[in-house]
Amino acid sequence: MKKRILLLAGGQSGEHEVSLMSARSVLSALPRDQFDVTPVVISKQGRWLPPTETQRALESGEAATGGDLVLHRVASAEGYDAVFPLLHGPMGEDGTVQGLLTLAGIPFVGSGVLGSAVSMDKVMTKQVLESAGIPQVAWRLAVRREWQQDPQGVRDRAAELGFPLFVKPANLGSSVGISKVGTPDELDGALNLAFGLDRRVILEAMTSHKPREVEVGILGNDAPIASPVGELRFDADFYDYETKYTEGRATMHIPAPLPPEVAARVRTEALAAFRALDCAGLARVDFFYVEETGELLLNEVNTMPGFTTTSMYPKLFEAAGVGYSELVTRLVELALEER
Ligand code: ADP
Ligand code: MG
Ligand code: MG
C-alpha cells in the first residue's frame, strides 16, 4: 500500500518563497512507487489553497491570495498517513502547525510542538542550551513594551554587550530584521526595525573576531545521527538576506576544512542541542567557529531548514551517502515511527 502524504508549503512567514522552492524539490524526489503525495500551498494570509491554485503557486513561486480556512482543510486532511510541513518561520516552523496536526492526530515530519516552539525562539533556545552547558555568545532579552516605556534601560542593557552587537527579532529567520550595530547611534534604528517584527528581541554580543560559519545536519528521532560538517563562505559583513538568497553570493564547502577535533565538537554539541531542545526528525545546527581563539559557539537550531536539492541540509547528507530521495523517504519513515 502506498502511503498518502500531505505536503504543506508556502505559509505566512517571510520565508514563503523559500518554502515553495524546497517543496518543488521534495515533491519531485519522494518515490512515487511508495508515496502518493498531495501538495497544499498555504497563502501568505494563511489560507490553504485547493489543488489548481496550489499547482499555480508552486509554478509561480508565490501565493499571495485565495484558499480556504485552515480548519476546514484539516478536517478533510484525515486519511493522510503523514504530513510534511515544509514551512519555515512563524506559523509553520514554530509549533503552531505542529499543534494543529497533533490535535488532528496526523503524524508529521520534524519536531513536535515543544521542540519547534523552543527552537524557533532565539531567546528560549539560548536559555535551554545554556542549561545544557553549550557555549554561546553573550546575550540579553528586550521586550517591546519595555522599549516603548524605558528605551534608555534597553540601550543600557545593549551597551553591556559592547559594540559591535547584533539585534534580532527573537522569532524569525533568513536574517530578516537582523542588524549589526557598529556604534551606539545606530542602536535605536536597529531596535525599531526588530520590534516592528517581533514582541521579543534578542541582543547578542558579536563573536570576538569575524567567525567562520559552520553547519551540521541531524537526522533521527531518539537515536539521531550527525552529518559531516559544512561551511558557508561569502563576501559580506555578515550572512544577511541578500547574501543568503542571491545566486552565487555564498559558497558551500563540504566537508568544512576544520581540524578534526573541531569537527568532532560540532557534531557532539549539535547532537546534545538536538536532545536538549527535544527536536525530532531533522534539524540543521549552525555554529560560529572563531579560528583566532578556537572558540566554538552554537548560533541557532533550524527545525525545518532550507530543503531544495542544493540546500545545505540535503547536501550534508548527500556527503554522508544519503541521497535526496532517500533522505526525504527516511524523514517520512521517521514521522511514522513509534516513539
Ligand atoms: P537567522 O535565524 O535569521 O538565520 P542568525 O542568528 O543565524 O539569524 O543570524 C544571521 C547571520 O548574522 C549569521 O549567519 C551571521 O552571519 C550573523 N550573526 C548573527 N549573530 C552573530 C553574532 N553574535 N556574532 C557574529 N555574527 C553574527
Ligand atoms: Mg534561523
Ligand atoms: Mg541563521
Side-chain angles (χ1 to χ4, degrees), residues 23-32 35 309 324-326 328-329:
R24 279 201 297 268
S25 297
V26 169
L27 203 52
S28 52
L30 275 169
R32 283 308 133 95
F35 302 109
T309 49
Y324 193 89
S325 185
E326 193 185 338
V328 287
T329 303

Side-chain angles (χ1 to χ4, degrees), residues 60-303:
S60 74
E62 185 186 332
T65 55
D68 306 328
L69 283 176
V70 57
L71 287 176
H72 167 74
R73 281 306 195 106
V74 172
S76 62
E78 277 176 50
Y80 285 101
D81 294 294
V83 177
F84 197 143
L86 194 53
L87 301 162
H88 308 300
M91 306 290 180
E93 191 180 352
D94 63 350
T96 49
V97 167
Q98 289 74 12
L100 191 72
L101 296 173
T102 303
L103 282 175
I106 312 169
F108 54 91
V109 171
S111 295
V113 172
L114 179 65
S116 300
V118 177
S119 302
M120 187 80 247
D121 187 288
K122 293 181 191 299
V123 174
M124 289 304 293
T125 300
K126 288 245 176 338
Q127 287 173 329
V128 171
L129 297 186
E130 210 161 271
S131 63
I134 295 173
Q136 310 171 90
V137 295
W139 59 276
R140 302 282 187 274
L141 164 71
V143 296
R144 188 186 279 145
R145 189 178 166 78
E146 208 186 348
W147 175 234
Q148 289 161 347
Q149 297 189 342
D150 176 23
Q152 196 51 45
V154 176
R155 291 185 198 112
D156 292 345
R157 195 169 322 140
E160 288 167 18
L161 297 168
F163 293 90
L165 57 84
F166 278 82
V167 175
K168 313 177 183 180
N171 284 278
L172 266 176
S174 289
S175 299
V176 175
I178 295 185
S179 307
K180 180 176 170 182
V181 179
T183 55
D185 59 299
E186 294 166 16
L187 188 58
D188 283 21
L191 285 162
N192 285 330
L193 174 69
F195 278 121
L197 298 166
D198 203 338
R199 231 185 80 244
R200 286 153 65 78
V201 163
I202 186 165
L203 312 161
E204 282 185 24
M206 164 135 190
T207 50
S208 60
H209 301 78
K210 189 173 193 273
R212 284 175 64 183
E213 304 208 19
V214 297
E215 309 190 338
V216 65
I218 304 293
L219 176 67
N221 288 332
D222 295 319
I225 57 163
S227 73
V229 180
E231 177 169 11
L232 280 163
R233 295 209 187 143
F234 48 85
D235 193 15
D237 194 26
F238 71 97
Y239 198 33
D240 57 10
Y241 186 91
E242 220 199 306
T243 312
K244 276 181 185 170
Y245 298 113
T246 310
E247 191 71 39
R249 291 286 291 275
T251 51
M252 277 187 300
H253 301 264
I254 303 171
L258 292 170
E261 68 276 12
V262 176
R265 248 158 75 206
V266 168
R267 290 154 54 98
T268 307
E269 285 183 10
L271 284 165
F274 189 89
R275 292 201 182 88
L277 293 162
D278 195 33
C279 294
L282 76 165
R284 196 194 71 223
V285 187
D286 301 349
F287 292 82
F288 298 135
Y289 174 55
V290 186
E291 205 163 21
E292 291 82 349
T293 60
E295 283 167 294
L296 182 69
L297 304 161
L298 200 151
N299 173 34
E300 62 160 343
V301 177
N302 296 287
T303 52

Side-chain angles (χ1 to χ4, degrees), residues 7 9 17-32 37 39 58-59 84 86 88 305-312 314-315 323-329:
L7 176 70
E17 291 83 0
V18 181
S19 161
L20 292 183
M21 281 194 280
S22 298
R24 279 201 297 268
S25 297
V26 169
L27 203 52
S28 52
L30 275 169
R32 283 308 133 95
V37 189
L58 281 171
E59 280 156 24
F84 197 143
L86 194 53
H88 308 300
F307 222 104
T308 69
T309 49
T310 58
S311 299
M312 181 63 101
K315 285 284 174 199
Y324 193 89
S325 185
E326 193 185 338
L327 182 63
V328 287
T329 303

